[in-house]
Amino acid sequence: MTSAGPAPHPALKGALHRERIHHDRCRTALAAMIDGAQEQVVVGEDVSASGADAEVLGYQLRSQAKEMRELPEGPLFFGKLDFDHGDHAGQAYHLGRLRITEHPAAPPLVVDWRAPVSRAFYQAGARDPQGVAVRRRFGWAPGSKGESADLTGLEDEHLRDGGPPQVSDIVTREIERPRVGPMRDIAATIQPEQDDLVRGGLAVSVCVQGAPGTGKTAVGLHRAAYLLYTHPQRMRRGGLLVLGPNRTFLSYIAQVLPALGETGVRQSTLQDEIARHRVTATDAHPTAVLKHDPRMAEVLRRALYARVSTAQVNSLEIKDGSYQWRVGAGELARIVGDVREEEPPYSTGRERVRSRVVRSVQLQAERRAGPQSGAWVQRVSRSRVLGAFLDGVWPKARPEEVVTELLSDREELAAAADGLLDSEEQKNLLWAKPPRSWKSARWSAADLVLLDEVAGLVQHPEGYGHLVVDEAQDLSPMECRAIARRARFGSITVLGDLAQGTTPWAARSWHTVLRHLGKPDAAVVPLTIGFRVPQAVVQLANRLLAQLDVAVPEGRSLRGDGELRLRPTSLDALPGAVVDAVRESLAHEGSVGVVAADADVERVRQALDAAGIVAAGPDELGARVSVVPAGLVKGLEYDHVVAVEPAAIAEAEERGLHRLYVVLTRAVSRLVVVHGRPLPF
């Protein structure tokens, strides 16, 4: 294996020179590809046979050109494979984040990392070379914009030589590179067990139980990129949605997919997806927990379908010119009852009743006068008499009306919750001051989950071809149901860590989560080997893991560097100790995250301000020092973390020990724990 640093040997200098020349050639070819994509937009729109064809083709070509123009600057390849056996014997391929070629029919200068041939880069080894003679990795200067001079080194691994697997200095340096700014892609450093998950089939739903630092978020995003590449038409039709826990997290991961050549992917939070109204109310803790309880799904279903009634059904008479058709009360009740038992979406059920009543009238008309025209059927279907009948037996339903009436009317709630919720739970659900109508209602975050449940009962959403759901351990059963409706005909990649569950309804079993997501047969795959968190930090977190009441395997780390310091102090001296810890961290390269209990954040910020240390908030990516509430640190990472008063973090909420576990595992290089009280672990 050659060195990734300066190459003194003439042969290595020659190899670097040749690779830099190849990179220049790739840059020229990529520029031509971008120009060609823009030119195709003009030509394609001009030669289309019709306006509709021009619109479709033009959209596709413009999208392709836009994606090419928006590619982030950076090195165009990170690896190379030389084959001496198998289907690719005698061939050599450079691997990068997208395919680059000088002509569509010419051999590629760079092969996309997602192409089948690229899999050997991640999976081949001495025991199973997969036809590869030499695997080469390239070392680039940190922050390179893709200048060929930034190619500073290379490593060659000769897989035919036998012997134990070699540790790549280039991979190690890339993993340990300081974390400043948004999350980076890991296309150059994907490990074999990660690659297996990334390349899972489109129809396969999978749950990744990932210990801290194992790259589960990166795996999910790279799987999204892989599916977009492998199934472009199906993904374009069905769409792909990435769900994160909050907008801070989404900002952090926002550049990963564009760096992999995939732009335009919807990245959102579940709260944004179900936000029919602004949140202007706050529930008491027992009420919020109850609204997220899976029993509420049946309560809402009963409340909605209680609107369907045949108690006052009379015969129906529909005028048709000088003639009058009649449908008896018994037949009408039977039609409504049959549709009710079928339980289609509520709005579909209403239209199904309409069509069956119209069909009954049509059969009478055909027996009397022969086949009727489509216009006749439409006229009968839109008759006022039939509309009034439907409003009486199967009235239209707005989710806001259903939820407002349920939470405002004691008797209606009692009927819907009979046998499901006890009297105290029903009392907790009822609004203290019911609004005059749904239009004046003030909605809480948990109410939006209820509204989405009813909306899904009224009419099924279209859904997505694939969903990536991160931090899934924090989802409630009702939130899982909201996601399941959007994945009704698609697959899901579920990412999370049960040990990091911090919501009151956080899961203790993935099988429960998967059942509520509608994917009970999805495999649960553990990732336990970490590449981000140093071993000393993982061992500290594992001491806390035993107290968390979740059955997950302990994490392990391949990082033997790192640093852990436990720094006791007095309560009075705590602010000064935090300032000292931050100053020590600033003596090293990389980002510094100061994490404290939410209630203590302002006090910490004031201490840093008084010391002349400029600190940003968690949303300001790229800042050298950030002060982060413990409640927002999930999913983020910093080179150096100063954890302030773990006891306060643990006591701040019901699952505070889980929150502390999250805080302790955000450090990439150094963790300093500053405390004036006894440690909870």
Side-chain angles (χ1 to χ4, degrees), residues 309-529:
S309 173
T310 56
Q312 304 296 326
V313 172
N314 297 312
S315 60
L316 187 65
E317 295 182 349
I318 299 176
K319 288 187 178 181
D320 182 15
S322 60
Y323 201 80
Q324 190 163 271
W325 306 108
R326 181 178 181 277
V327 183
E331 184 177 1
L332 292 172
R334 179 185 58 77
I335 289 174
V336 175
D338 288 348
V339 174
R340 176 69 181 80
E341 288 184 4
E342 294 165 8
E343 284 211 4
Y346 186 88
S347 60
T348 301
R350 175 182 165 96
E351 294 309 307
R352 196 170 289 179
V353 170
R354 182 197 302 272
S355 65
R356 292 184 186 180
V357 172
V358 170
R359 180 59 177 163
S360 176
V361 174
Q362 184 179 3
L363 289 174
Q364 295 180 49
E366 288 177 349
R367 284 194 294 267
R368 181 174 183 270
Q372 302 297 311
S373 66
W376 180 92
V377 172
Q378 288 295 319
R379 186 170 65 251
V380 173
S381 180
R382 291 195 298 265
S383 69
R384 291 184 179 180
V385 173
L386 180 52
F389 164 75
L390 289 171
D391 289 342
V393 299
W394 203 296
K396 293 180 180 178
R398 184 189 296 269
E400 288 81 356
E401 291 174 342
V402 175
V403 174
T404 298
E405 292 172 11
L406 180 69
L407 302 184
S408 301
D409 190 316
R410 186 181 303 274
E411 291 185 0
E412 181 174 338
L413 177 58
D418 183 38
L420 293 171
L421 307 178
D422 61 32
S423 58
E424 185 64 23
E425 290 173 320
Q426 293 177 35
K427 181 180 177 181
N428 286 337
L429 277 178
L430 286 168
W431 282 337
K433 294 182 179 179
R436 293 183 178 179
S437 74
W438 69 267
K439 294 181 180 179
S440 58
R442 297 177 65 243
W443 304 103
S444 69
D447 289 333
L448 300 186
V449 180
L450 303 185
L451 290 172
D452 194 76
E453 179 74 25
V454 178
L457 291 169
V458 172
Q459 182 149 3
H460 294 322
E462 290 186 7
Y464 290 86
H466 189 79
L467 283 84
V468 176
V469 185
D470 209 344
E471 302 295 349
Q473 74 280 344
D474 280 331
L475 295 170
S476 73
M478 291 295 286
E479 288 173 325
C480 287
R481 290 177 60 85
I483 294 171
R485 285 188 287 276
R486 290 158 175 81
R488 185 177 176 85
F489 301 109
S491 54
I492 306 182
T493 297
V494 181
L495 311 168
D497 179 8
L498 296 178
Q500 297 185 52
T502 53
T503 58
W505 40 77
R508 288 178 168 80
S509 164
W510 282 122
H511 295 292
T512 301
V513 173
L514 293 171
R515 187 177 72 251
H516 290 304
L517 285 171
K519 309 294 181 184
D521 298 327
V524 179
V525 180
L527 288 180
T528 59
I529 300 176

Side-chain angles (χ1 to χ4, degrees), residues 31-290:
M33 288 170 62
I34 294 173
D35 291 341
Q38 189 58 45
E39 182 179 349
Q40 285 182 356
V41 173
V42 178
V43 174
E45 290 177 333
D46 286 345
V47 302
S48 295
S50 68
D53 290 340
E55 184 175 349
V56 173
L57 181 59
Y59 172 79
Q60 293 176 346
L61 294 175
R62 283 193 300 274
S63 297
Q64 182 181 9
K66 181 174 182 289
E67 290 174 2
M68 296 286 289
R69 289 195 306 271
E70 292 180 352
L71 285 171
E73 294 180 322
L76 299 181
F77 53 75
F78 54 78
K80 183 181 179 182
L81 293 173
D82 283 292
F83 288 87
D84 64 353
H85 284 76
D87 295 339
H88 302 281
Q91 300 295 317
Y93 303 98
H94 285 77
L95 276 63
R97 289 166 179 82
L98 77 159
R99 185 178 191 273
I100 300 175
T101 181
E102 292 171 316
H103 185 275
L109 300 177
V110 177
V111 175
D112 195 295
W113 67 276
R114 297 165 288 188
V117 70
S118 303
R119 184 163 198 180
F121 184 78
Y122 304 107
Q123 296 284 352
R127 293 183 178 179
D128 180 17
Q130 300 186 14
V132 178
V134 181
R135 173 167 48 209
R136 173 171 288 181
R137 300 182 190 273
F138 297 99
W140 294 85
S144 171
K145 297 295 185 182
E147 295 296 329
S148 297
D150 293 338
L151 178 55
T152 58
L154 54 84
E155 291 176 346
D156 281 348
E157 186 177 0
H158 297 269
L159 300 185
R160 300 290 179 188
D161 290 349
Q166 295 173 317
V167 178
S168 166
D169 290 338
I170 286 178
V171 172
T172 299
R173 282 202 299 272
E174 175 63 21
I175 290 174
E176 296 177 0
R177 183 152 58 94
R179 262 66 171 171
V180 177
M183 182 180 180
R184 305 190 297 262
D185 71 84
I186 62 166
T189 61
I190 292 173
Q191 301 301 299
E193 63 274 18
Q194 295 174 325
D195 185 65
D196 289 336
L197 292 166
V198 166
R199 296 177 190 266
L202 174 59
V204 176
S205 291
V206 64
C207 174
V208 181
Q209 160 57 44
T214 53
K216 54 185 174 294
T217 296
V219 165
L221 293 172
H222 285 69
R223 186 181 186 206
Y226 174 78
L227 293 177
L228 289 163
Y229 171 87
T230 311
H231 308 281
Q233 293 183 343
R234 292 174 65 180
M235 286 292 92
R236 192 178 299 117
R237 287 198 305 268
L240 191 147
L241 173 65
V242 176
L243 287 177
N246 53 58
R247 293 181 182 177
T248 299
F249 178 84
L250 293 177
S251 298
Y252 178 62
I253 68 169
Q255 297 305 312
V256 174
L257 285 173
L260 297 172
E262 300 297 345
T263 59
V265 176
R266 182 167 178 79
Q267 300 186 45
S268 183
T269 68
L270 179 60
Q271 290 70 30
D272 288 338
E273 290 299 297
I274 66 175
R276 298 173 65 94
H277 301 278
R278 287 193 308 114
V279 173
T280 56
T282 302
D283 287 317
H285 178 76
T287 302
V289 171
L290 185 56

Side-chain angles (χ1 to χ4, degrees), residues 656-678:
L657 285 176
H658 292 257
R659 182 76 69 188
L660 178 58
Y661 181 84
V662 173
V663 171
L664 296 178
T665 54
R666 299 304 95 199
V668 175
S669 297
R670 297 173 70 253
L671 171 64
V672 181
V673 180
V674 181
H675 63 102
R677 298 168 55 189

